[in-house]
């Protein structure tokens, strides 16, 4: 990807500027908006139908958020979009519509600011966005991965460990207030410090109930060792299994960041009964942007549940330059976190994505009855033949696993 | 999806006509061509980069097929596109570039014609397309699911069973000639009749080696019971496991049609060492078109191998109308098979798709070294924690499986 001109903003992030050069294009806000601005309406509609998977006769409706939420988004300059997935009306069950929110954000102060100031500035920045969610009647809200700090794991510097908090620390306390105020379940993904186990660090999502109580937590199952994702320097694979949290608004689970590349991780949350799985993430353009629209939607289809995908935004500049294991010169940033948070539904549809550059709140209504409707329609559970896979995985784990390979006998004759 | 005007063609299929009405659009040839015709070049380039996943600095190059292949495609009116995925140059291994081809086609005669005539007409129709693949130097060629017959399973009529052949029957013999002539591995997906096991039917892919020998076969693992896919009326779940065939040109496997909805099925072929997995399919627009670009690409990403996806084209009209279990009136067709065959690569990129309406041959070069390069880069195998999943699947199989659910204690207090 070619570099575009950068504008240094007051929070220390760099925002790319919309520009065209040499046949390339940078800085557009989202694929959906780029297409909308450049296609005739009826062609845009058809392209959207295909790209958003709106092929089943179920339209994705746009919701107008309340005036107060719109006013907050204007005043504090965050993207605000709201949609509604529909489901078939059933004869024996009432609809179970829940309103779900996702928040993406950049950091609020340069990474050179005192750590406590950085954290408090993020709290201050998030306050109006969470208020907008509350004003919009959101039932379940999820924040991005390690939202209370810069994503400093690229540096490999241990001083960033100071941002870690116990599961009932100040970030949790900050969100518990909102949970009570708005009768809202909030998922709080932080860098956790486990004081009772020798100050161990974890990448953890804490589930706060709609009365402000802590329901439980989940620790990230799969830890990346790729590019600047030096996360295994800071924490190890989680030890909490694949819990599903039964909240006032439905059964939810959290697949943290890199876990989205593992279909088995998605599967296990599904086997445990999840109806919505959140994927709070932090990921950058050149590495993962082509995968971003694929993996979440595939998980929603394959497991007949909803997925809420969140990615942070902006480019975070660190005080000390570092190398990236790619032979290139040292540099002070991780690359551009491209936002693009979105929802995926079990019927293969999805919402448009939030901005690639701005903070944002994405809201969608979803009738959780759709999960079982898709199970009944497609029968993926019924036809899954799990016994075959329990068997091959058990065999694969053995050091002397022999793959099922059928060689062409003529091939071996020729080469011998 | 709104209906468009139909043109009855001589082969008994109906081709939709390009038309705009009431803000909807029908009959465009492919998403890629629709966007290409309606976006400015530099915007089309950026949209293509995102949609085809060309984000890793590795461009997808277009190949010009030989004159003789182009002449065949013009004379016989089939879509012909050719591309090349690139990989990094390695220092200890030579590139392992193979040229792979996919063929999609409609049936050749009305379904009311005598069965033998129908089959021979398909043979005749495929001959120039296979010749074009041979002339283009294709090393491995895959045909669509049950290519030698109409996809009659929607009818539930047993008379279509007559199309079934033994694994060394006339379709295999027809293709063995081409395999020898062009030194080409050919995957031959047919309706199989297993004479040695009481005339049992299977949905089978036979792997023909590049010397015309039969290397082995794979039987479809997962059988749909959805909409008009009444396939379980005709054949049962396959009994051949997840074989990988070691051919002169690489290790290949076949995930037949509905198996693409099962991430575990894709996974097992990967665990057994596949470098290219073919997905010969037959699927229709309203049911699966939104899933089509998602599942194959996700499989390629998650398992670090190439995927070749094939879907038949056209609308097949059957003699006796049938109902579809949706309360709607009887009708004589299954819907439109939307073609759109394409390749996906392990780096999340993919080729544009073949036409939604025309027969076609899609060719792509792929350096199989890319598979291991992506395994080394992303480490999905290393970080997969298979022991967790062998365990949960073993537990899930038990009738008394208890999902890992953590309830909100306040929720139960309130409701009791």
């Amino acid at each position: 990807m070619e570099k575009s001109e950068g504008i240094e903003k007051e929070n220390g992030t760099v925002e790319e500027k919309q520009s065209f050069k040499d046949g390339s294009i940078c800085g557009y806000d989202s694929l959906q908006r780029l297409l909308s601005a450049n296609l005739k309406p009826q062609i845009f509609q058809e392209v959207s139908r295909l790209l958003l998977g709106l092929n089943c006769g179920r339209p994705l409706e746009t919701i107008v958020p309340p005036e107060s939420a719109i006013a907050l988004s204007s005043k504090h300059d965050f993207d605000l979009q709201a949609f509604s997935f529909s489901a078939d009306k059933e004869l024996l069950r009432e609809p179970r519509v829940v309103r779900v929110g996702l928040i993406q954000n950049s950091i609020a102060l340069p990474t050179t600011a005192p750590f406590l100031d950085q954290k408090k500035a993020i709290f201050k920045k998030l306050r109006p966005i969470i208020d907008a969610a509350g004003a919009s009647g959101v039932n379940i809200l999820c924040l991005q991965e390690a939202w209370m700090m810069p994503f400093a794991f690229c540096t490999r510097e241990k001083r960033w460990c100071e941002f870690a908090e116990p599961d009932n620390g100040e970030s949790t306390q900050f969100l518990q207030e909102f949970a009570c105020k708005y009768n809202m379940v909030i998922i709080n993904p932080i860098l956790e410090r486990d004081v009772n186990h020798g100050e161990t660090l974890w990448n953890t999502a804490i589930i706060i109930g709609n009365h402000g109580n802590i329901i439980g937590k989940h620790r990230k199952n799969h830890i990346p060792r790729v590019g600047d994702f030096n996360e295994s320097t800071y924490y190890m694979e989680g030890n909490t299994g694949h819990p599903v949290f039964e909240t006032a608004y439905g059964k939810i689970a959290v697949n943290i960041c890199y876990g989205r590349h593992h279909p088995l991780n998605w599967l296990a949350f599904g086997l445990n009964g999840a109806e919505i799985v959140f994927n709070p993430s932090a990921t950058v353009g050149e590495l993962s942007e082509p995968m971003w629209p694929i993996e979440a939607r595939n998980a929603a289809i394959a497991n007949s549940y909803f997925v809420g995908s969140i990615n942070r935004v902006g480019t975070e500049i660190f005080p000390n330059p570092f190398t990236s294991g790619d032979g290139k010169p040292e540099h002070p940033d991780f690359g551009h976190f491209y936002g693009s948070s979105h929802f995926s539904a079990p019927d293969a549809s999805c919402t448009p994505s939030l901005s690639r550059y701005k903070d944002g709140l994405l809201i969608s209504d979803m009738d959780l009855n759709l999960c079982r409707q898709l199970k009944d329609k497609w029968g993926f559970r019924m036809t899954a033949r799990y016994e075959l896979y329990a068997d091959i995985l058990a065999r694969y784990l053995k050091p002397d696993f022999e793959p099922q390979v059928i060689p062409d006998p003529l091939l071996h004759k020729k080469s011998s």
Side-chain angles (χ1 to χ4, degrees), chain A:
Chain A
M1 184 173 164
E2 293 184 37
K3 289 284 178 193
S4 61
E5 294 168 43
I7 314 166
E8 182 103 18
K9 296 214 310 181
E10 61 182 304
N11 66 1
T13 65
V14 174
E15 188 168 280
E16 288 178 76
K17 187 177 167 187
Q18 183 144 351
S19 61
F20 297 76
K21 43 183 178 180
D22 301 335
S24 80
I25 166 176
C26 298
Y28 54 90
D29 188 65
S30 74
L31 176 62
Q32 189 79 5
R33 284 168 179 156
L34 180 66
L35 291 171
S36 167
N38 288 284
L39 288 174
K40 289 174 200 150
Q42 73 270 47
I43 294 180
F44 173 68
Q45 187 177 328
E46 178 64 10
V47 168
S48 291
R49 188 184 67 79
L50 282 175
L51 293 183
L52 302 182
L54 305 174
N55 210 23
C56 317
R58 270 193 291 272
L60 178 73
E61 284 175 19
T62 303
I63 294 177
V64 179
E67 284 295 336
S68 59
I70 295 171
L72 284 166
S73 81
S74 300
K75 183 175 174 191
H76 298 279
D77 193 28
F78 61 86
D79 193 6
L80 173 63
Q81 299 187 51
F83 302 95
S84 176
F85 293 108
S86 57
D88 289 339
K89 178 122 185 58
E90 297 185 13
L91 298 177
L92 295 178
R93 292 197 301 187
E94 290 299 310
R96 292 186 299 137
V97 178
V98 296
R99 182 162 289 187
V100 186
L102 309 176
I103 292 177
Q104 67 177 35
N105 61 280
S106 58
I107 56 175
L109 285 181
T111 59
T112 47
F115 282 8
L116 189 59
D117 291 356
Q118 287 188 53
K119 189 186 284 195
K120 289 199 166 156
I122 297 176
F123 284 12
K124 184 178 171 198
K125 174 186 237 212
L126 278 191
R127 194 172 286 279
I129 310 181
I130 302 173
D131 279 331
S136 303
V138 163
N139 302 122
I140 308 174
L141 180 67
C142 187
L143 274 56
Q144 72 195 18
E145 182 185 24
W147 62 273
M148 21 59 85
M149 61 180 289
F151 209 73
F153 310 123
C154 49
T155 67
R156 302 189 307 281
E157 297 166 0
K158 292 290 185 176
R159 66 199 181 98
W160 304 98
C161 295
E162 278 207 57
F163 273 98
E165 302 175 10
D167 60 9
N168 59 356
E170 57 190 337
S171 294
T172 300
Q173 290 162 29
F174 169 73
L175 294 174
Q176 283 174 309
E177 271 182 50
F178 289 100
C180 292
K181 181 173 178 187
Y182 293 117
N183 194 30
M184 189 158 62
V185 171
I186 303 183
I187 297 155
N188 174 30
I190 62 166
L191 181 63
E192 182 199 3
R193 185 175 288 283
D194 183 358
V195 183
N196 290 342
H197 288 88
E199 304 278 3
T200 309
L201 299 191
W202 301 98
N203 186 320
T204 301
I206 295 137
I207 315 300
I208 302 169
N210 57 313
H211 300 294
N213 54 310
I214 296 177
I215 300 177
K217 66 185 169 190
H218 174 59
R219 289 169 174 161
K220 185 170 176 173
N221 272 329
H222 301 272
I223 310 292
R225 287 96 165 146
V226 50
D228 278 338
F229 289 89
N230 303 310
E231 298 178 38
S232 61
T233 302
Y234 293 88
Y235 39 80
M236 299 291 285
E237 280 70 15
N239 58 357
T240 51
H242 296 84
V244 167
F245 302 95
E246 189 179 0
T247 75
Y249 307 113
K251 291 183 174 176
I252 65 174
V254 193
N255 180 345
I256 304 176
C257 198
Y258 180 77
R260 75 182 177 280
H261 303 301
H262 287 283
L264 286 166
N265 201 35
W266 292 108
L267 171 77
F269 294 118
L271 296 182
N272 283 327
E275 296 171 307
I276 311 170
V277 180
F278 294 92
N279 178 231
S281 296
T283 184
V284 291
E286 293 196 38
L287 192 66
S288 69
E289 198 162 1
M291 302 173 171
W292 185 246
I294 302 294
E295 293 160 322
R297 287 181 68 188
N298 191 76
I301 295 166
N303 299 291
S304 306
Y305 54 48
F306 290 92
V307 174
S309 303
I310 314 172
N311 183 24
R312 66 172 60 202
V313 284
T315 303
E316 301 176 358
I317 311 292
F318 292 96
N320 304 316
F322 50 88
T323 56
S324 295
D326 57 3
K328 291 182 184 164
E330 63 173 19
H331 51 277
D333 72 280
F334 200 150
H336 176 64
F337 295 101
Y338 53 82
S340 307
S341 304
H342 61 98
F343 287 105
S344 307
D347 65 357
S349 67
C350 65
T351 67
S353 297
L354 286 180
S355 169
R356 296 176 75 245
Y357 295 98
K358 285 172 71 170
D359 297 346
L361 168 64
L362 180 66
I363 296 171
S364 188
D365 285 356
M366 47 193 74
D367 182 348
L368 300 184
N369 283 354
L370 189 62
C371 301
R372 197 178 80 179
Q373 288 172 17
L374 267 291
K375 285 178 181 171
D376 286 349
K377 176 179 177 181
W378 278 98
F380 294 149
R381 290 291 179 89
M382 180 172 75
T383 59
R385 307 185 73 188
Y386 295 115
E387 69 283 3
L388 292 183
Y389 304 101
D391 174 62
I392 191 172
L393 285 172
R395 286 188 288 110
Y396 186 82
L397 285 171
K398 295 184 183 159
D400 62 351
F401 169 68
E402 291 216 6
Q404 184 187 359
V405 176
I406 299 177
D408 182 343
L410 299 186
L411 173 70
H412 284 269
K413 194 177 284 175
K414 281 169 71 86
S415 65
S416 65

